[in-house]
Amino acid sequence: MAYFRPPGWVKRIFPEFIWSFPEETDSVFLTFDDGPIPEITPWVLDQLDFYGAKATFFCLGKNVEMHPEVFQMIKDRGHSVGNHSYSHIKGWGTDSLDYVHDIDLAESLITTNLFRPPYGRIKPSQVHVLKERYKFILWDVLSRDYSWTLSGKGCAKNVLNVVRPGSIIVFHDSKKAEKNLRYALPIVLEGLKAKGYKMKDIRL
Ligand SMILES: [Zn+2]
C-alpha cells in the first residue's frame, strides 16, 4: 500500500496529525526516517544537493548519539530534523511514561518541534502528553523502500504514481532500505523535478 489514506476514525481520534499539506502548493515534502548513519545519510544528502532539494530527517536518538557528525551534516546542509524516538519504540503496548521517556531522551540530542511516531502507531494517552511540544508529522506517500519483496523500480513507481501537491513522502536512510533507496531516490528526485515540484523540508 503506497498511498496511505488514514481511516476516518484515525483522523477523528488524532485531529492533530498532519498527513499532507494543502494541495494549493507547488511543493512536496521528502522525509527520511531511522537515520542518521554514515553508510547512507551522506549519500542521501549528496542526492538532495544535486537536485536542489530540501528534506526532513526523522532521526533516532541512538543513531544521533553514535554518529553526531552525520547529524550535524544534515543541519549544516540546510535540512530540518525531527524526533523519531530514541530507540524506535513501539507506542502500542508500551507504558506511556516509558514511551515519553524515550522521546525525551531523543529530544535531548535532537531538539525539534516535529515528531513522527515509529510505525505511525501511538496511543491517545501518549499523544496527549506530547501534543503540547510537537507537531505530529505522518505521511500520505509510503515508498516501501524497506520492503524485501519490492524492487527499487517498484519503489520509485510507488512514489511517482501517487504523489500530488502537498504530499509528505517517506523514505528510510537505514540499512534495511539501502538497496531500494539507492536505486529509487535518484529516479524519484528526477521525476519530481520533471513534474515541476519544489522539494522542501518541513518547518512549522
Ligand atoms: Zn521508523
Side-chain angles (χ1 to χ4, degrees):
M1 180 174 60
Y3 193 45
F4 185 73
R5 288 180 191 280
W9 66 266
V10 172
K11 285 197 162 171
R12 278 193 299 278
I13 294 178
F14 300 124
E16 48 281 281
F17 281 17
I18 297 169
W19 302 92
S20 62
F21 290 101
E23 290 199 31
E24 303 77 47
T25 174
D26 55 359
S27 302
V28 292
F29 301 85
L30 296 163
T31 65
F32 294 86
D33 289 5
D34 299 356
I37 54 170
E39 296 88 340
I40 301 160
T41 310
W43 176 83
V44 170
L45 294 173
D46 289 345
Q47 299 303 309
L48 295 173
D49 277 357
F50 186 78
Y51 287 95
K54 290 284 183 278
T56 302
F57 290 78
F58 286 93
C59 298
L60 293 179
K62 64 177 182 184
N63 284 342
V64 173
E65 198 166 56
M66 262 190 293
H67 311 293
E69 70 295 345
V70 186
F71 179 66
Q72 192 59 41
M73 207 186 281
I74 294 171
K75 294 195 293 176
D76 287 349
R77 286 164 75 166
H79 305 281
S80 66
V81 292
N83 186 329
H84 193 45
S85 83
Y86 181 84
S87 61
H88 213 257
I89 195 167
K90 283 192 169 86
W92 295 359
T94 300
D95 174 81
S96 289
L97 271 180
D98 293 341
Y99 189 79
V100 171
H101 175 71
D102 198 85
I103 310 309
D104 283 345
L105 197 55
E107 183 62 29
S108 67
L109 296 151
I110 297 168
T111 314
T112 173
N113 67 341
L114 307 176
F115 175 68
R116 172 172 286 164
Y119 314 99
R121 290 172 184 175
I122 183 168
K123 293 195 283 198
S125 57
Q126 296 157 350
V127 171
H128 185 72
V129 177
L130 295 170
K131 72 179 179 188
E132 302 305 323
R133 287 191 265 150
Y134 295 106
K135 308 279 185 200
F136 294 83
I137 309 296
L138 283 295
W139 58 84
D140 65 341
V141 181
L142 190 58
S143 66
R144 289 185 63 224
D145 50 358
Y146 51 77
S147 168
W148 288 333
T149 54
L150 186 70
S151 67
K153 208 176 194 173
C155 177
K157 237 183 178 175
N158 265 352
V159 175
L160 292 172
N161 283 350
V162 299
V163 70
R164 58 165 189 75
S167 279
I168 300 174
I169 304 166
V170 185
F171 286 103
H172 295 80
D173 48 337
S174 71
K175 283 183 190 156
K176 195 175 170 191
E178 179 173 11
K179 191 174 132 287
N180 282 345
L181 181 70
R182 283 188 188 268
Y183 185 91
L185 185 59
I187 296 173
V188 167
L189 289 167
E190 188 73 51
L192 292 173
K193 200 179 162 190
K195 285 174 189 269
Y197 286 120
K198 291 198 178 96
M199 294 168 261
K200 291 190 184 157
D201 58 351
I202 298 167
R203 290 179 191 266
L204 296 170

